[in-house]
Amino acid sequence: MALAPLVAGNWKMNGLAASISELDRIIAGGRALTNKLELLVCPPATLVPAFAARARDSGVRIGGQDCHWEDSGAFTGDISAPMLADAGARAVIVGHSERRLGHQESDEQVRSKAQAAWRAGLTAIVCIGETEFERHAGATLSRLERQLGESVPDGAKADNLVIAYEPVWAIGTGRTPTPADVAEVHGFIRKRLHIRFGSEGHAVRILYGGSVKPSNCAEILTVDNVGGALVGGASLKAEDFLGIAGTYR
Ligand code: PEP
């Protein structure tokens, strides 16, 4: 059976304790939606425990933005998957381009992080996406094929893996691919997942991410093989985030 679409908010390095009021607005507005879709909010790690406590039994889930590949150890400043799970997270984003590019994370490290997420019982949201240079070089699909092959561990299932296709050039820029481009890429990702993971790969949700907002969500989120959205900037305001989620109403 097909899983409900997932609309996930990546708050990045934004949010203080007072931001719980925004979560309250998401919870309140989400009540009318969560029978049709899943809502996930990924605040900074400092807010995960308070957000998870507040969102308990609400239908809105809380996730982390990154985790280490080890469960514990001498890794100053890092957060492990068991810590996120202990704090109430249900999922974790791994391999976001701001980690891949800003922190030189390799596909192998992203794969290990996804495995760590699974050990802790978290859904791994594995981000993939081409840079503008790769797109202009006609290397989008080969780049995605390599990231899928090397960043996604064996053993993926529809309920432990979500893929987020996020063209790097679309993140935070206001630019988006055309619906035809999204259809081509998501169709390609679906084919690769199906070849590798069979029926599970057929059911894994493939999110689109990159400058999704209320004004463009309808044309992107209704494309074939788009199973939801990973939303950055527009997830910081409950009204915009819920407006995007409302596509699936
Ligand atoms: C993101 O960083 O995951 C993202 C999709 O950002 P934005 O929506 O702001 O482009």
Side-chain angles (χ1 to χ4, degrees), residues 106-124:
S106 65
D107 282 322
E108 190 188 1
Q109 287 170 335
V110 174
R111 185 173 71 235
S112 299
K113 288 177 177 215
Q115 286 169 320
W118 292 351
R119 285 197 302 278
L122 301 176
T123 297

Side-chain angles (χ1 to χ4, degrees), residues 101-149:
L101 300 174
H103 297 259
Q104 288 77 47
E105 287 187 3
S106 65
D107 282 322
E108 190 188 1
Q109 287 170 335
V110 174
R111 185 173 71 235
S112 299
K113 288 177 177 215
Q115 286 169 320
W118 292 351
R119 285 197 302 278
L122 301 176
T123 297
I125 302 175
V126 177
C127 300
I128 59 173
E130 81 286 1
T131 62
E132 185 146 41
F133 179 81
E134 289 162 342
R135 187 174 191 86
H136 287 319
T140 297
L141 298 185
S142 57
R143 178 73 180 123
L144 297 177
E145 184 168 6
R146 199 166 79 234
Q147 287 180 326
L148 277 173

Side-chain angles (χ1 to χ4, degrees), residues 11-196:
W11 280 27
K12 311 193 183 192
M13 199 172 71
N14 296 290
L16 300 171
S19 312
I20 204 151
S21 59
E22 210 59 42
L23 176 69
D24 287 339
R25 284 189 273 277
I26 293 172
I27 292 171
R31 282 198 194 100
L33 299 171
T34 45
N35 58 341
K36 302 254 177 60
L37 66 138
E38 280 181 36
L39 285 175
L40 178 76
V41 174
C42 301
T46 49
L47 296 179
V48 168
F51 274 35
R54 188 70 134 240
R56 187 171 301 134
D57 301 327
S58 74
V60 175
R61 293 188 176 149
I62 303 301
Q65 298 176 11
D66 182 45
C67 66
H68 200 275
W69 54 84
E70 295 290 349
D71 294 345
S72 62
F75 301 101
T76 302
D78 283 313
I79 306 274
S80 73
M83 290 172 184
L84 287 172
D86 187 48
R90 306 285 293 275
V92 60
I93 298 167
V94 294
H96 191 282
S97 63
E98 287 155 15
R99 303 288 319 174
R100 289 179 183 269
L101 300 174
H103 297 259
Q104 288 77 47
E105 287 187 3
S106 65
D107 282 322
E108 190 188 1
Q109 287 170 335
V110 174
R111 185 173 71 235
S112 299
K113 288 177 177 215
Q115 286 169 320
W118 292 351
R119 285 197 302 278
L122 301 176
T123 297
I125 302 175
V126 177
C127 300
I128 59 173
E130 81 286 1
T131 62
E132 185 146 41
F133 179 81
E134 289 162 342
R135 187 174 191 86
H136 287 319
T140 297
L141 298 185
S142 57
R143 178 73 180 123
L144 297 177
E145 184 168 6
R146 199 166 79 234
Q147 287 180 326
L148 277 173
E150 295 179 11
S151 300
V152 178
D154 289 338
K157 298 194 173 64
D159 64 1
N160 67 11
L161 176 73
V162 172
I163 297 293
Y165 168 55
E166 299 207 305
V168 177
W169 52 272
I171 293 178
T173 61
R175 296 160 56 207
T176 53
T178 64
D181 287 341
V182 174
E184 184 195 5
V185 167
H186 279 240
F188 175 80
I189 294 169
R190 172 68 67 219
K191 203 181 298 168
R192 302 309 310 168
L193 290 172
H194 190 73
I195 288 169
R196 187 161 164 210

